[in-house]
Amino acid sequence: MKETKDVLRIVLIVVLALVVLSVVLPFIFALLHIAVGLVVWVATTVIEVAVVVAIIYLIVVGIRALLK
């Protein structure tokens, strides 16, 4: 009888873990989606700023070359 209780307890723990995973996993994926989107947005913003800085630098160097 004790073995049956132990086996039943293990089976119920596994079932509970599967239920928890099926409920929590979509939330985890949603958070990962938001995090990846945020990282991509930050990366594109940094690239845009770098391009603007490069263009301003080229304009300043061109003006300096014209004034010499």
Side-chain angles (χ1 to χ4, degrees):
M1 190 67 167
K2 185 170 177 4
E3 284 185 26
T4 306
K5 282 185 177 180
D6 290 341
V7 170
L8 186 61
R9 181 176 292 158
I10 292 172
V11 169
L12 288 177
I13 288 174
V14 169
V15 169
L16 179 64
L18 289 175
V19 168
V20 168
L21 278 177
S22 68
V23 169
V24 172
L25 217 53
F27 293 114
I28 292 174
F29 285 144
L31 290 176
L32 284 175
H33 179 73
I34 292 170
V36 169
L38 184 64
V39 168
V40 169
W41 176 78
V42 168
T44 54
T45 303
V46 167
I47 291 171
E48 289 174 359
V49 169
V51 168
V52 168
V53 168
I55 290 172
I56 291 172
Y57 174 76
L58 288 174
I59 291 172
V60 168
V61 168
I63 290 173
R64 193 176 71 172
L66 288 175
L67 293 177
K68 275 190 172 181

